[in-house]
Amino acid sequence: MACTSANVVKCHCQKKWSSVTMPAMAKIQFCFTFILFIAINCASVNVDNISSDVKFKNVDRTIDLSSQLVKISQKITLENSGKSPVKSFLVAVEASSKNNLAYIGAKDSSGKDLRVSETTVKGHDSAKFWRVDLKDALNAGSTVVVTSETVFTKALQPYPTAITQQEDQLVKYTGNLYVYSPYQVTSQKTNVVVVTKGIESFSKVKPFSQQDGAIQYGPYPNVAPFTEKELSVHYKNNSPFLTVTRIERLIEVSHWGNIAIEELIEVEHTGAKLKGPFSRYDYQQDLHSGPASVRSYKTLLPASASDVYYRDTNGNISTSNMKVKKDSVELDLRPRYPLFGGWKTHYTLGYNVPSYEYLYHSGNEYLLKMRVIDHIFDDMQVDELTTKIILPEGSVGIKLNVPYPVTRLADSLHYTYLDTKGRPVITFKKSNVVENHIQDFQLRYTFPRLLMFQEPLLVVGFLYALFLLVIIYVRLDFSIHKAEHQHKD
Amino acid sequence: MPATAVAKPENGRNKGIFHNTAGFSTLITVTVLSLAWLAGFASRLFAVIRFESIIHEFDPWFNYRSTAYMVQHGFYNFLNWFDERAWYPLGRIVGGTVYPGLMITSGTIHWILHALNIPIHIRDICVFLAPVFSGLTAIATYLLTSEIWSRGAGLFAACFIAIVPGYSSRSVAGSYDNEGIAIFALQFTYYLWLKSVKSGSIFWSICTALSYFYMVSAWGGYVFIINLIPLHVFVLLVMGRFSQRLFVSYTVFYIIGLLLSMQIPFVGFQPIRTSEHMAASGVFALLMAVGALKYLHSLNPKGQWKQLLIVGGFLAAVAVFLVVVLLTYMGVIAPWSGRFYSLWDTAYAKIHIPIIASVSEHQPTTWSSFFFDLHVLVCTFPVGLWYCIKNINDERVFVALYALSAVYFAGVMVRLMLTLTPVVCVLAGIAFSILLDLVLREDEMCPPPVESEESKSLYDKAGKLKKRPHETPNGASEAGLGMNVRSGTLIAFMILLMLFSVHCTWATSNAYSSPSIVLASYGNDGSRRILDDFREAYGWLSQNTAEDARIMSWWDYGYQIAGMGNRTTLVDNNTWNNSHIALVGKAMASNESAAYSIMTALDVDYVLVIFGGAIGYSGDDINKFIWMVRIAEGEHPKDIHEADYFTERGEYRVDSEASKTMLNCLMYKLSYYRYDSGGSPPGYDRTRGALPGNRGFKLTYLEEAYTTEHWLVRIYRVKKPDEFNRPRLPVAKRTISTTNSVSKKLAIGPGTTTSKRRKGLLKNKPTVVKGKKVARLE
């Protein structure tokens, strides 16, 4: 019961956290909110207890190793063996892989998202814990099915670390053979999906079976809490190992009906490094040479995206194609050169979208609803994301609402055409981002609609003054002394 | 004066026609000039529309890079910039070796725009600078021509210069080079000079000097001004046209211009130390002497003084000349530089400075290129010149000298076509103006509206009538013209001008609007394919090599590697150090192992070659290779011989009949290494139409690092000494021999040597054997 009351407080905090107010220009207010922000941050580190009532009756785990990410989904059958109803349970991530964790989420049997929040447990400092709040309290004796999903980045190590141009890329996955759980697991099965046939080696703990592209482990009965046993798979993985080392996403809102989006992206091939020479001759011979290299990838933009540009510091990158589909714009981006292990590239991708799809208003109150990050390529992993939102000049009362914790940086000002006092810029950062983070943020602000006329009036006023000056200059004689005689003509 | 006699009636007639002449003609002038500006700007945008807003070719990349540096780091840091990325290991003092006018101009525009919160990238300012300045050039030409002849002629000249290919060849969008702004400065300085000669006012002279200062800061061609203006003064003196106005304007201009020009770090003390500038000082001294004699003459204006004046002037001229010669002989004044000397002796560069001769734009001009760049103007400008000489006055002497000298220089070098173009436009404008004047006089039609029609008709399609340049003298000579003749002439003229404008647009579009770093090829169905290999390679260099990697390539690509690849280069397009270039040429011309020792001596990490064999790109390194050999031979005549690279019959070939030296040199190997794609027999070289003679070889000291999609750019990594298999030395041979004399002495025994000889010798010096512990000598 104590646990539940703590939860209520936590929820409250969580709500407060997600609607941190940050007035644009007032420094004192900013400092205040910053302190508030820190205070909330401190408060949000919660302490939970492991309830002995909860048991995992059955866990079906799938480890998907077919891409550069490790996606683990667990279908947990939860059982309340105690007397009182249970509102929540804990999910744990072992110490060895907690730093690679990019995303964690949970769904109930009907596919609805459950609230997941970070927590700690006394006595288990090395592991990381997440508390999943159930929709309805689980009564004593009954069971419920919950699916949790975790995504790990950089959990696959290329082995060997350097390969020649023609070789396949082999990677090694090291994980836990058993479900890492704070509770007793009565029965569990694990399915490792690698898609490829080229499995070099894997941990053999009976019972297991291997089919092409997949390995099944289990069922293993009655595994104690926090049991770890190494599971390693060494296999061929030629899927693109591309890491976006840095992305800066710039969203510029105009009230004249347009939202401009520009992304500065730095990409690196983080798979096995290229050893020895690159031969264009071999690369041209057939399409399958250089199996681990990345020639191109697809980026999906919103369906209404227009005026797309793709360039770098040296100008337009001419090797790209655009296809307009029904629900998206598909860009087939080809970097200037194929990316081998260790090779880098960087580019700028920009486009416009009409504002009516993303900007809502009533009176002077505006709400911007856009994605924190958009799709770059399938199974992407982003090391560092910076999102900047530029609002029209004169916007005040800015409130940001984000779907997951981010680090908000200090607001700044941006000057562009016909600006006088600058446009407010909201900036926030997040590291280790994957596709599951493509979610909407909400930004509320107040903008007096009369300010729309400021810029046209500025131009009109300037021209007016200019013509007036010319008129005055032409009509009046400013010469110091009169010419002595008339012009010869 | 006869000059005003021609210009006057027109002005007078204008007044009679319109009620408010001043306002109306101003309106027309402003309209025509702004249309000319617009037309000039628009016709230079082909490259931007076809490709993108990008800096072209080679030199502009350096200008862009330094402009970006200046914008980023500030003006003073730019002046003090030591660029360690160029001329490795020498580096380059950029601030002291550039004409900073171009960078300052675009930097100022950038600064103003950003102060107004207009966030335009400096690249776009650089790309569009030249087209914008073409409009200013048109206005300056208008002013110059109206100073010489009439406003109508000025409008013609402005329209001509706005679109003439001879000028737009150097000022299309993206060709961000000194010439783009220098032609404006040139024309404007000449206009102000004529204005000051006409008025004799100090104000205009100082304006001339300031404009000259801008020109000095912008382009090395300022030497043309500082020689042409003194020549003008000198010729006026010889013609007996000395006046107080001339005296005031030249003396003020010379002194202030001299002081200002010396403020540019790159120019420094050259104006008083080199022969190129001596004509100006000589004329200055002469003018002083003549002025003094005139003053004496005015004290006693009698007959015998006149002879004294002439004799005295002559003596003064001789004295000045002798002083200059003497100073040159004594070494106080540097003699003419090779580049300048090659203007007088066209064969000079070929023998003595192959690096100048190797540049295609330094070749003598052909007749066809005169016509291509100037079209009908080249036929009509003599008419204008004839009229100017016929109705001579102080200004027209100037334009005649300008025309004659520019024609000479344009004949010597293709590049100097640029200095000829403005004066051709001026004179052709005068010719057309006179002709229209003759044809339309009795009709009481005003020339200005017709002219504005002309400027619009520049965009019309060409008619089918033949052009008739002979019409010009005919129309001028016949006094009483019938109605038919008049209209016939008029129509012929219109057609000529239309043809001219069509030709201008066509030439600018087809010949001068290629960025040359992006190539386009057209398929049979008209579809366009872009070959972006250069940027592919430079992008690869900038992202995937070490930050301080040193790239060796032929000097043509130095600026591009620095600008787009952001890497250190050994040589670049600023060809100031011939021996360094020759060393690179020698490395390219040597066999692999000899080249390797040069490359390690120069710390080369990567070698970049351009190879056009796969797509038939003719400007590649193999075709330029013979110049590399020649330049290398100039500095290293013992190692490199040009004849070795030709076949016995003196042919330059790459196939199996090529000479052995050719087939084994580094450039050849790097170009054809593992090249097996291309035409129908694999490995066919489409540029030279031959099958390479040496194929299937292996590289020992280098490895292929990257080759672009169409094989255009090939980058090789130079292996480190531990990466290739060197012949194994037995342990016994690994002794590093100490100097022979000393060891001999030691062997004989210490007793025999004198103490003097033993000086500085270590007793019991250990012998170093690789792979063995140091053993003491007993």
Side-chain angles (χ1 to χ4, degrees):
Chain A
M1 286 312 277
C3 178
T4 36
S5 69
N7 280 349
V8 174
V9 174
K10 181 70 213 311
C11 289
H12 186 62
C13 286
Q14 196 67 23
K15 260 204 184 121
K16 235 185 179 176
W17 144 253
S18 47
S19 59
V20 179
T21 54
M22 193 155 306
M25 254 73 69
K27 260 194 176 166
I28 301 165
Q29 271 177 326
F30 170 72
C31 286
F32 170 72
T33 32
F34 195 70
I35 291 164
L36 192 73
F37 168 81
I38 291 166
I40 290 166
N41 242 5
C42 292
S44 72
V45 180
N46 247 335
V47 181
D48 271 270
N49 297 319
I50 299 170
S51 162
S52 54
D53 295 348
V54 181
K55 259 185 194 158
F56 286 177
K57 197 176 167 194
N58 184 37
V59 180
D60 264 342
R61 183 168 66 146
T62 308
I63 304 177
D64 183 357
L65 303 178
S66 57
S67 67
Q68 61 172 336
L69 303 172
V70 175
K71 298 180 206 159
I72 301 177
S73 66
Q74 308 183 20
K75 199 172 151 201
I76 304 168
T77 313
L78 199 67
E79 185 182 24
N80 186 358
S81 59
K83 300 265 156 55
S84 52
V86 171
K87 270 228 83 174
S88 68
F89 70 100
L90 297 177
V91 176
V93 172
E94 52 270 63
S96 56
S97 57
K98 70 176 180 190
N99 291 329
N100 296 333
L101 182 76
Y103 174 80
I104 186 161
K107 283 178 183 164
D108 62 9
S109 49
S110 57
K112 291 225 172 85
D113 281 326
L114 297 174
R115 173 188 289 281
V116 179
S117 49
E118 196 177 345
T119 182
T120 54
V121 173
K122 267 220 172 113
H124 298 278
D125 293 334
S126 57
K128 236 179 179 179
F129 291 91
W130 302 81
R131 188 186 50 238
V132 180
D133 297 325
L134 296 171
K135 274 264 154 60
D136 312 301
L138 182 63
N139 291 323
S142 57
T143 58
V144 70
V145 175
V146 176
T147 312
S148 83
E149 194 184 344
T150 44
V151 179
F152 297 89
T153 56
K154 301 193 172 147
L156 299 175
Q157 296 305 323
Y159 190 82
T161 51
I163 52 172
T164 59
Q165 186 182 340
Q166 302 290 30
E167 279 174 336
D168 286 316
Q169 178 170 269
L170 299 174
V171 297
K172 208 172 184 178
Y173 170 72
T174 313
N176 193 354
L177 183 66
Y178 302 120
V179 174
Y180 191 75
S181 153
Y183 310 108
Q184 173 92 17
V185 184
T186 317
S187 167
Q188 59 175 289
K189 271 196 279 184
T190 298
N191 187 20
V192 181
V193 180
V194 291
V195 177
T196 162
K197 279 181 186 171
I199 300 176
E200 300 279 309
S201 68
F202 62 97
S203 303
K204 288 170 183 167
V205 180
K206 281 181 182 170
F208 71 90
S209 67
Q210 185 197 359
Q211 289 165 349
D212 37 309
I215 310 164
Q216 274 93 29
Y217 289 100
Y220 300 117
N222 292 327
V223 179
F226 302 116
T227 314
E228 280 189 80
K229 183 162 189 182
E230 194 190 81
L231 160 73
S232 85
V233 186
H234 187 205
Y235 66 105
K236 184 173 98 178
N237 187 347
N238 276 333
S239 64
F241 268 57
L242 285 187
T243 306
V244 177
T245 47
R246 226 176 72 83
I247 171 172
E248 191 179 315
R249 182 169 155 92
L250 206 73
I251 300 168
E252 193 170 350
V253 181
S254 160
H255 281 175
W256 297 93
N258 186 52
I259 296 176
I261 295 161
E262 188 175 81
E263 292 173 340
L264 302 161
I265 300 175
E266 288 170 19
V267 181
E268 186 179 349
H269 189 300
T270 45
K273 297 230 177 332
L274 176 69
K275 183 169 71 181
F278 163 80
S279 166
R280 174 63 69 180
Y281 174 72
D282 292 335
Y283 202 64
Q284 247 173 10
Q285 282 310 97
D286 62 324
L287 278 170
H288 302 293
S289 71
S293 71
V294 179
R295 286 166 199 257
S296 68
Y297 47 84
K298 287 192 168 67
T299 298
L300 299 178
L301 303 181
S304 53
S306 59
D307 312 329
V308 183
Y309 57 87
Y310 172 50
R311 60 168 79 113
D312 65 6
T313 46
N314 290 339
N316 198 21
I317 304 172
S318 44
T319 45
S320 56
N321 284 309
M322 187 170 107
K323 257 184 260 167
V324 180
K325 292 186 163 178
K326 213 188 263 172
D327 56 344
S328 64
V329 173
E330 187 186 285
L331 289 182
D332 182 20
L333 299 186
R334 242 179 86 197
R336 289 195 188 276
Y337 38 85
L339 291 171
F340 279 89
W343 290 12
K344 284 178 270 185
T345 186
H346 71 109
Y347 63 92
T348 306
L349 182 70
Y351 51 94
N352 291 333
V353 287
S355 65
Y356 64 84
E357 291 185 4
Y358 302 96
L359 192 64
Y360 309 93
H361 74 102
S362 81
N364 289 338
E365 300 295 318
Y366 285 83
L367 170 69
L368 177 72
K369 213 173 149 186
M370 287 202 90
R371 286 174 172 181
V372 175
I373 187 174
D374 215 330
H375 180 265
I376 303 170
F377 43 81
D378 288 341
D379 299 316
M380 65 184 188
Q381 61 181 47
V382 178
D383 284 353
E384 195 188 312
L385 160 77
T386 310
T387 305
K388 285 186 176 179
I389 305 144
I390 302 173
L391 295 177
E393 198 179 37
S395 305
V396 286
I398 298 157
K399 293 191 186 87
L400 178 68
N401 202 330
V402 283
Y404 38 79
V406 295
T407 317
R408 184 155 168 191
L409 304 177
D411 289 1
S412 55
L413 289 175
H414 175 80
Y415 293 92
T416 180
Y417 301 99
L418 301 172
D419 282 351
T420 47
K421 53 184 202 264
R423 305 178 179 215
V425 184
I426 319 298
T427 315
F428 55 86
K429 257 176 129 167
K430 171 146 180 64
S431 55
N432 213 354
V433 176
V434 290
E435 238 168 291
N436 306 59
H437 288 109
I438 302 179
Q439 293 174 27
D440 284 344
F441 67 85
Q442 294 184 347
L443 190 73
R444 285 167 206 281
Y445 60 93
T446 314
F447 178 78
R449 302 192 77 190
L450 270 179
L451 276 180
M452 296 264 289
F453 295 103
Q454 182 190 341
E455 291 177 357
L457 281 179
L458 209 67
V459 176
V460 170
F462 173 76
L463 289 177
Y464 183 75
L466 188 77
F467 285 128
L468 208 68
L469 269 176
V470 169
I471 289 169
I472 291 170
Y473 177 77
V474 170
R475 301 292 147 122
L476 298 183
D477 188 3
F478 288 100
S479 61
I480 297 170
H481 72 106
K482 288 253 185 293
E484 280 122 41
H485 53 86
Q486 280 289 308
H487 213 262
K488 273 181 184 173
D489 305 315
Chain B
M1 278 189 182
T4 39
V6 180
K8 243 185 188 174
E10 202 177 59
N11 283 346
R13 195 165 37 74
N14 282 356
K15 276 209 163 168
I17 294 160
F18 300 106
H19 300 293
N20 186 2
T21 334
F24 203 77
S25 65
T26 308
L27 180 67
I28 286 166
T29 310
V30 169
T31 314
V32 171
L33 285 181
S34 40
L35 280 177
W37 191 329
L38 204 69
F41 184 80
S43 75
R44 283 165 171 79
L45 295 185
F46 282 109
V48 171
I49 291 162
R50 275 196 209 132
F51 296 96
E52 57 188 286
S53 166
I54 192 179
I55 306 286
H56 291 190
E57 295 196 312
F58 306 105
D59 283 18
W61 272 102
F62 168 74
N63 297 328
Y64 167 61
R65 181 165 162 252
S66 23
T67 310
Y69 185 91
M70 191 185 78
V71 166
Q72 200 188 339
H73 295 95
F75 175 65
Y76 287 102
N77 285 324
F78 166 66
L79 279 188
N80 293 326
W81 182 22
F82 180 80
D83 183 10
E84 70 275 11
R85 286 261 153 115
W87 291 94
Y88 182 86
L90 309 168
R92 178 184 175 188
I93 310 158
V94 175
T97 55
V98 289
Y99 293 102
L102 185 70
M103 295 94 194
I104 292 170
T105 307
S106 33
T108 312
I109 294 172
H110 183 261
W111 181 76
I112 291 171
L113 290 180
H114 277 247
L116 294 172
N117 286 336
I118 300 177
I120 290 184
H121 195 273
I122 184 70
R123 186 203 302 119
D124 295 322
I125 293 174
C126 293
V127 166
F128 292 103
L129 188 75
V132 168
F133 264 74
S134 73
L136 291 177
T137 311
I139 290 170
T141 308
Y142 161 75
L143 292 172
L144 177 67
T145 317
S146 33
E147 216 48 57
I148 293 167
W149 201 265
S150 68
R151 292 174 73 183
L155 291 180
F156 262 117
C159 294
F160 288 152
I161 192 119
I163 57 166
V164 69
Y167 174 44
S168 66
S169 66
R170 291 315 193 108
S171 61
V172 292
S175 95
Y176 176 57
D177 215 343
N178 296 328
E179 290 93 328
I181 62 168
I183 295 303
F184 158 69
L186 186 83
Q187 292 290 84
F188 200 60
T189 310
Y190 287 155
Y191 158 68
L192 290 170
W193 165 246
L194 292 188
K195 194 94 183 156
S196 62
V197 168
K198 247 185 175 176
S199 63
S201 93
I202 293 179
F203 171 74
W204 287 113
S205 306
I206 290 178
C207 286
T208 316
L210 287 174
S211 174
Y212 171 66
F213 176 51
Y214 183 63
M215 175 71 184
V216 174
S217 79
W219 194 34
Y222 76 89
V223 177
F224 185 46
I225 297 184
I226 202 61
N227 282 301
L228 186 61
I229 288 179
L231 182 68
H232 180 213
V233 174
F234 183 72
V235 170
L236 285 183
L237 285 184
V238 169
M239 289 169 78
R241 285 172 169 269
F242 177 84
S243 64
Q244 287 300 321
R245 292 178 283 111
L246 185 69
F247 184 80
V248 169
S249 52
Y250 184 70
T251 47
V252 171
F253 159 74
Y254 176 68
I255 292 299
I256 295 182
L258 181 76
L259 291 177
L260 286 176
S261 68
M262 283 160 71
Q263 307 308 309
I264 304 296
F266 190 29
V267 176
F269 281 94
Q270 278 181 41
I272 52 170
R273 297 294 295 270
T274 57
S275 297
E276 284 94 333
H277 299 78
M278 275 310 121
S281 356
V283 167
F284 178 71
L286 188 65
L287 196 65
M288 283 296 173
V290 173
L293 288 170
K294 275 270 181 188
Y295 176 69
L296 289 177
H297 182 231
S298 69
L299 292 180
N300 191 0
K302 275 185 185 167
Q304 62 267 44
W305 281 94
K306 195 170 183 187
Q307 273 150 19
L308 181 70
L309 186 68
I310 293 167
V311 173
F314 184 71
L315 282 178
V318 171
V320 167
F321 183 73
L322 284 177
V323 167
V324 169
V325 168
L326 193 70
L327 285 176
T328 313
Y329 187 72
M330 283 163 65
V332 178
I333 301 169
W336 278 340
S337 66
R339 272 165 201 262
F340 203 70
Y341 196 74
S342 62
L343 285 181
W344 308 111
D345 182 0
T346 44
Y348 180 84
K350 210 161 203 173
I351 303 160
H352 299 280
I353 334 171
I355 212 156
I356 290 181
S358 74
V359 179
S360 62
E361 61 182 18
H362 290 163
Q363 307 302 323
T365 319
T366 54
W367 280 111
S368 60
S369 90
F370 270 103
F371 185 76
F372 188 79
D373 277 357
L374 302 169
H375 199 248
V376 68
L377 303 186
V378 82
C379 315
T380 47
F381 94 94
V383 181
L385 187 62
W386 186 76
Y387 270 100
C388 279
I389 290 171
K390 199 180 161 204
N391 308 302
I392 201 84
N393 65 7
D394 286 0
E395 303 94 79
R396 289 172 194 170
V397 170
F398 178 79
V399 83
L401 290 171
Y402 184 7
L404 292 175
S405 53
V407 165
Y408 173 75
F409 290 132
V412 174
M413 260 191 211
V414 180
R415 192 183 178 181
L416 294 179
M417 199 70 182
L418 192 66
T419 52
L420 173 67
T421 308
V423 70
V424 163
C425 290
V426 168
L427 290 174
I430 291 171
F432 273 92
S433 165
I434 290 166
L435 249 140
L436 271 191
D437 204 27
L438 277 174
V439 173
L440 297 175
R441 183 172 286 162
E442 279 182 10
D443 291 28
E444 289 295 295
M445 269 172 65
C446 48
V450 173
E451 279 144 23
S452 68
E453 252 176 68
E454 237 91 81
S455 73
K456 279 171 204 156
S457 74
L458 298 182
Y459 283 103
D460 290 345
K461 293 267 179 204
K464 278 186 177 175
L465 263 176
K466 272 186 186 173
K467 55 182 184 298
R468 284 185 282 172
H470 302 295
E471 214 70 25
T472 315
N474 287 350
S477 58
E478 284 170 41
L481 295 165
M483 195 60 203
N484 289 338
V485 179
R486 272 173 211 285
S487 46
T489 321
L490 201 62
I491 288 167
F493 263 100
M494 292 303 167
I495 287 163
L496 262 188
L497 288 174
M498 279 179 211
L499 282 175
F500 171 70
S501 64
V502 168
H503 171 83
C504 286
T505 319
W506 176 82
T508 311
S509 150
N510 286 4
Y512 298 127
S513 290
S514 156
S516 89
I517 57 168
V518 188
L519 310 169
S521 69
Y522 293 89
N524 291 330
D525 52 346
S527 65
R528 194 175 68 153
R529 240 177 37 151
I530 285 189
L531 309 180
D532 211 352
D533 283 36
F534 285 107
R535 286 192 292 179
E536 182 183 344
Y538 298 137
W540 186 86
L541 275 179
S542 76
Q543 294 294 310
N544 299 315
T545 59
E547 187 78 8
D548 60 345
R550 285 148 305 247
I551 320 288
M552 182 172 93
S553 72
W554 190 234
W555 60 265
D556 295 20
Y557 309 101
Y559 279 164
Q560 290 186 351
I561 293 172
M564 283 186 270
N566 197 16
R567 287 295 175 269
T568 310
T569 56
L570 270 73
V571 291
D572 62 30
N573 311 45
N574 172 262
T575 51
W576 64 276
N577 189 329
N578 193 33
S579 65
H580 211 55
I581 292 178
L583 205 57
V584 171
K586 188 185 169 190
M588 294 293 192
S590 311
N591 62 37
E592 216 188 320
S593 55
Y596 185 73
S597 61
I598 297 174
M599 290 190 293
T600 39
L602 291 172
D603 290 345
V604 175
D605 294 316
Y606 293 90
V607 184
L608 182 147
V609 295
I610 308 293
F611 172 64
I615 52 165
Y617 175 73
S618 60
D620 69 348
D621 274 349
I622 290 277
N623 280 359
K624 287 175 186 170
F625 183 53
I626 207 63
W627 284 106
M628 300 183 204
V629 173
R630 271 177 203 159
I631 290 166
E633 191 186 9
E635 293 277 330
H636 309 277
K638 277 187 197 158
D639 304 314
I640 307 289
H641 306 284
E642 191 183 333
D644 292 349
Y645 296 85
F646 290 103
T647 60
E648 279 173 13
R649 274 179 293 168
E651 289 168 312
Y652 183 66
R653 310 180 69 138
V654 294
D655 56 11
S656 50
E657 282 173 46
S659 72
K660 216 174 168 201
T661 324
M662 179 74 197
L663 293 181
N664 285 303
C665 69
L666 186 71
M667 176 54 77
Y668 185 92
K669 282 193 164 180
L670 296 189
S671 292
Y672 292 110
Y673 176 67
R674 298 205 71 188
Y675 170 65
D676 266 324
S677 70
S680 43
Y684 185 76
D685 184 336
R686 286 167 68 181
T687 305
R688 283 154 286 271
L691 204 61
N694 186 1
R695 293 169 65 202
F697 52 83
K698 285 199 165 58
L699 292 173
T700 315
Y701 300 97
L702 297 113
E703 71 174 20
E704 187 177 357
Y706 190 72
T707 297
T708 57
E709 197 183 347
H710 305 100
W711 296 77
L712 197 51
V713 186
R714 309 199 68 181
I715 301 169
Y716 291 85
R717 193 177 69 85
V718 180
K719 287 184 185 169
K720 297 277 168 284
D722 58 325
E723 282 180 86
F724 48 81
N725 297 325
R726 288 186 301 176
R728 194 186 138 76
L729 279 178
V731 180
K733 280 197 171 179
R734 289 189 201 164
T735 319
I736 292 169
S737 63
T738 47
T739 35
N740 276 342
S741 57
V742 172
S743 55
K744 261 179 195 166
K745 295 280 147 57
L746 274 177
I748 295 162
T752 52
T753 50
T754 59
S755 60
K756 206 179 175 185
R757 276 190 171 169
R758 269 189 289 166
K759 215 176 179 182
L761 188 76
L762 278 178
K763 248 189 181 176
N764 295 335
K765 193 182 178 187
T767 331
V768 182
V769 180
K770 248 190 188 169
K772 283 213 165 180
K773 263 194 165 179
V774 172
R776 288 197 157 255
L777 262 184
E778 294 305 330

